[in-house]
Amino acid sequence: MTNSHAGRGDAGVAIAAARAGADVVRGMYGRRLTRINKGAGDFATAADIEAEKAILAVIRAARPDDSVLGEEGGQRGAADTARQWLVDPLCGTVNYAVGNVLVAVNVALRDGAAAVADPFSGEVFFTDGETAWMRRDGADTRLTPTPASQLVDVNLDPPFPSAPGFRAVDLLADPEFVERFRPRVVSTTLALAWVAAGKRAAYITDGGDFSASVHFAAGIALCRAAGCVVTGIDGAPIGKAGRGLVAAADTETHGLLMSMIGRRN
């Protein structure tokens, strides 16, 4: 345990930006917030917008030449720049809007440092791209993934591009899955940070290319740096041709999940 890990550099910027967003999210919690309709049942709130502004202010002050892709504001700066920050200011907007505190603030430098802040626990999970840590009350603890909890978060939010070959909901009824694991559904990528921290055995979601996703980039970076096994639901590396995401605490857990998914793919 240390009190000063990643105090400077890109990891420090990621931590400061995620904390700035988390402060806004926590401060606006419980208010009646304006909703901005995005279509297909998706929406943002005023908290999403204001949190992204706070995150951008930190990044602009520290790294003025970098570009930013934000969930709410889109691309700022050249999209093909060598340094691009991926920002999801409030992952779990539906949770937040109904008074559920299971949300995350995600900030990641593409292929580099990243931070995931839990606005309500005060925990910030972060990586410099090589190692992964959790900061709370000024102290840093190295993230150590473990499957001991047997808890597996399964994302059931649409869309489901791999259906009918793979449906996450079908996995929950698999006898082997039920015997070996205990499913959880939190509907926020905070669950990826929990896998890296040993609070979850694994996380599974359908989807497409997550390599440059504002929602998933920070969590994937944490899991990789912590030593988790991270692939698509087809076992292939995360990339432009990828399908979904399986992040597991260890090789055995990943193998078990892939065998179950393979029976349905």
Side-chain angles (χ1 to χ4, degrees), residues 30 51 69 74 77 91 96 99 108-109 116-117 147 165 171 173 179 193 198 204 234-235 260:
L69 176 60
C91 186
Y96 185 79
L109 178 62
V116 176
L171 184 64
E179 180 180 354
I204 303 169
D234 54 1
M260 298 173 199

Side-chain angles (χ1 to χ4, degrees), residues 34 63 78 84-85 90 137 147 149 158 177 186 201 203:
T34 301
R63 300 290 188 268
Q84 181 189 48
W85 293 87
L90 177 49
D137 298 329
S149 72
F177 183 91
V186 298
Y203 174 85

Side-chain angles (χ1 to χ4, degrees), residues 56-57 63 71 103 109 128 139 151 160 178 184 194 204 223 237 239:
L56 287 172
R63 300 290 188 268
E71 181 184 9
V103 301
L109 178 62
D128 56 6
L151 301 177
F160 309 116
V178 173
R184 292 293 184 272
W194 290 346
I204 303 169
C223 285

Side-chain angles (χ1 to χ4, degrees), residues 10-263:
D10 290 332
V13 174
I15 292 168
R19 276 181 162 169
D23 287 345
V24 172
V25 170
R26 186 173 56 255
M28 297 183 73
Y29 178 72
R31 300 183 191 178
R32 176 171 290 183
L33 300 173
T34 301
R35 295 191 181 190
I36 302 93
N37 183 27
K38 295 182 176 182
D42 192 16
F43 63 89
T45 69
D48 298 67
I49 304 298
E50 294 304 316
E52 185 164 301
K53 288 179 181 177
I55 292 167
L56 287 172
V58 172
I59 295 174
R60 283 171 175 162
R63 300 290 188 268
D65 297 327
D66 293 357
S67 71
V68 178
L69 176 60
E71 181 184 9
E72 309 308 334
Q75 181 66 40
R76 295 173 174 85
D80 59 352
T81 183
R83 290 174 55 88
Q84 181 189 48
W85 293 87
L86 304 168
V87 174
D88 182 356
L90 177 49
C91 186
T93 300
V94 176
N95 288 349
Y96 185 79
V98 298
N100 187 324
V101 299
L102 291 176
V103 301
V105 176
N106 296 317
V107 178
L109 178 62
R110 189 168 181 174
D111 300 321
V116 176
D118 181 337
F120 298 98
S121 73
E123 297 172 332
V124 181
F125 306 87
F126 67 93
T127 176
D128 56 6
E130 297 180 0
T131 57
W133 303 76
M134 187 271 287
R135 177 170 295 177
R136 185 171 186 177
D137 298 329
D140 295 348
T141 304
R142 185 79 172 259
L143 297 186
T144 305
T146 171
S149 72
Q150 296 184 317
L151 301 177
V152 175
D153 270 301
V154 181
N155 181 21
L156 301 181
D157 287 340
F160 309 116
S162 298
F166 170 77
R167 291 187 177 95
V169 68
D170 293 337
L171 184 64
L172 305 183
D174 186 306
E176 186 179 357
F177 183 91
V178 173
E179 180 180 354
R180 180 67 175 78
F181 299 110
R182 292 292 178 267
R184 292 293 184 272
V185 179
V186 298
S187 298
T188 169
T189 54
L190 180 61
L192 276 169
W194 290 346
V195 175
K199 297 181 179 183
R200 292 290 190 271
Y203 174 85
I204 303 169
T205 184
D206 195 0
D209 173 19
F210 290 148
S211 61
S213 167
V214 296
H215 306 290
F216 291 94
I220 289 173
L222 281 173
C223 285
R224 284 174 169 163
C228 301
V229 181
V230 181
T231 70
I233 59 172
D234 54 1
I238 303 297
K240 291 184 178 180
R243 294 176 56 210
L245 173 66
V246 178
D250 62 357
T251 302
E252 180 183 1
T253 301
H254 183 267
L256 283 169
L257 291 170
M258 291 308 302
S259 68
M260 298 173 199
I261 292 170
R263 293 200 296 267

